[in-house]
Amino acid sequence: MAKEHILGKRTLMVLFMKKYALLRYCLVFLAIVLPYFSAATINGPERVLAERVPDMEEYLPVIVFSQISPDMKKETIKAQTVIARSNIQRWLGEGKNLAEILRENGSTEEVWRYFFAEKRQIYEQAAKETDGQVLTYEGKVRLTPWHKRSAGKTRSGEEAFHDEAYTYLKSADSSEDKKSPDHKKIVEIPAGQLSGELKIKKRDSAGYVTELTIGETLLEGESFAAGMGLESANFSLKKKDDIYYLRVRGSGHGVGFSQFGGNEMAKNGSSAEEILEKYFPEMELKAED
């Protein structure tokens, strides 16, 4: 009986702590949104956010939470935080307001998930430890892309976007991405689903398909990958018994920062600065006031 009594006390204590943690997260959430609730009720949330002076550091951890897993190394998350901050700075410079940025890079569901996440502190630490840091090219914040993992080599921005404005996004070796258990996947497409024969016409220097045809129709590689639900436009194909077998490598567009590759670097002791230098060799890390 005594043992059962002790276990009962421990169970009650665990339940109490869980409820206390839940209450604490609710209070934190209310502390952030309550000052704007009355105004939002009267004027609408879009207007309230638009009229506020944007403080990216307040919302940055929430946005980064939606972009990268808390199970990644902190230096990897710090690198992603710098990338996110850089992109937010660029959007603000292009005239977007806070409401637009939050709407395009998160949702109410993501906000709630963040405040109830057990490991959310790592995002706050990453924001604090990289306070003000952004990536620039020729003194200006520019597009800083990221993806889950490359096919073993990241893509040239100029090749991927067909625009010389992105020559600063250089291809980088990311062989560590091949260590991922999800590096390769086979996707089957019945030939009957297509209006003609599927043929790859052109690839970029990193192996990503840039042009292919279905019958007489010319398609862009990324558009085809998105339409068919492929994780990446880096794929090879083989047809057998009226089935196309696509061997897909990597996940994402393949330009800029590879989260998996960066995390492998972090596991080996690399800092966020070293990770960013590898994937953005033409860009400079600066601390904004």
Side-chain angles (χ1 to χ4, degrees):
M1 290 292 293
K3 184 178 181 181
E4 291 178 358
H5 182 67
I6 293 172
L7 290 174
K9 279 189 173 182
R10 288 179 179 174
T11 301
L12 288 173
M13 181 62 69
V14 169
L15 290 173
F16 174 78
M17 293 302 293
K18 286 184 177 180
K19 288 184 178 180
Y20 174 77
L22 179 64
L23 175 62
R24 183 181 62 181
Y25 291 142
C26 288
L27 290 174
V28 170
F29 179 77
L30 289 173
I32 291 178
V33 302
L34 197 57
Y36 317 110
F37 181 76
S38 298
T41 303
I42 298 171
N43 301 317
E46 295 289 324
R47 182 175 174 183
V48 172
L49 287 171
E51 291 179 352
R52 284 196 66 209
V53 176
D55 179 5
M56 78 172 69
E57 299 302 321
E58 182 179 348
Y59 299 96
L60 185 59
V62 183
I63 291 176
V64 178
F65 168 76
S66 71
Q67 296 176 344
I68 191 168
S69 168
D71 295 326
M72 292 283 189
K73 293 292 185 180
K74 185 163 75 168
E75 292 303 307
T76 314
I77 295 175
K78 286 167 64 176
Q80 184 68 39
T81 300
V82 172
I83 290 169
R85 184 186 290 111
S86 302
N87 284 321
I88 294 172
Q89 283 274 29
R90 178 174 58 85
W91 289 322
L92 291 173
E94 291 172 353
K96 288 187 178 182
N97 58 47
L98 181 60
E100 291 175 303
I101 294 172
L102 291 175
R103 184 172 61 248
E104 293 174 6
N105 292 272
S107 63
T108 303
E109 181 182 349
E110 288 291 342
V111 171
W112 279 108
R113 284 184 59 237
Y114 171 77
F115 280 103
F116 288 96
E118 293 182 1
K119 300 179 181 180
R120 68 186 182 88
Q121 288 82 5
I122 196 169
Y123 299 100
E124 296 167 0
Q125 291 170 5
K128 183 177 181 180
E129 292 177 20
T130 63
D131 186 32
Q133 292 182 0
V134 293
L135 286 167
T136 65
Y137 177 68
E138 295 182 342
K140 297 180 180 179
V141 286
R142 302 289 183 93
L143 174 69
T144 48
W146 56 274
H147 55 283
K148 287 186 177 180
R149 61 185 178 278
S150 76
K153 180 182 181 181
T154 66
R155 305 172 71 181
S156 155
E158 182 178 359
E159 288 183 341
F161 302 133
H162 313 292
D163 193 331
E164 292 182 356
Y166 301 103
T167 54
Y168 65 92
L169 295 171
K170 300 297 184 183
S171 176
D173 176 73
S174 194
S175 301
E176 297 295 303
D177 286 326
K178 296 178 181 179
K179 292 181 178 180
S180 169
D182 299 318
H183 174 61
K184 293 180 183 179
K185 292 185 178 180
I186 304 295
V187 177
E188 299 180 13
I189 302 176
Q193 289 187 2
L194 306 176
S195 59
E197 186 176 1
L198 178 61
K199 291 183 179 180
I200 295 173
K201 290 294 184 180
K202 190 176 180 181
R203 298 178 182 274
D204 64 14
S205 60
Y208 287 75
V209 175
T210 55
E211 290 182 7
L212 68 159
T213 56
I214 299 179
E216 298 298 320
T217 304
L218 181 66
L219 299 173
E220 197 268 336
E222 285 292 333
S223 298
F224 174 80
M228 300 305 296
L230 307 182
E231 287 194 34
S232 164
N234 189 309
F235 59 86
S236 57
L237 65 85
K238 182 178 180 180
K239 186 180 181 182
K240 183 180 180 182
D241 299 329
D242 292 327
I243 301 280
Y244 287 104
Y245 295 90
L246 279 62
R247 186 183 295 271
V248 184
R249 301 172 182 82
S251 180
H253 50 62
V255 186
F257 176 50
S258 165
Q259 292 181 342
F260 187 93
N263 201 53
E264 289 300 303
M265 290 181 65
K267 288 179 182 179
N268 292 323
S270 294
S271 65
E273 291 80 4
E274 290 169 331
I275 294 170
L276 291 170
E277 184 178 1
K278 175 183 175 66
Y279 287 101
F280 299 98
E282 297 294 311
M283 302 188 80
E284 184 180 356
L285 184 64
K286 287 188 175 181
E288 299 266 316
D289 294 332

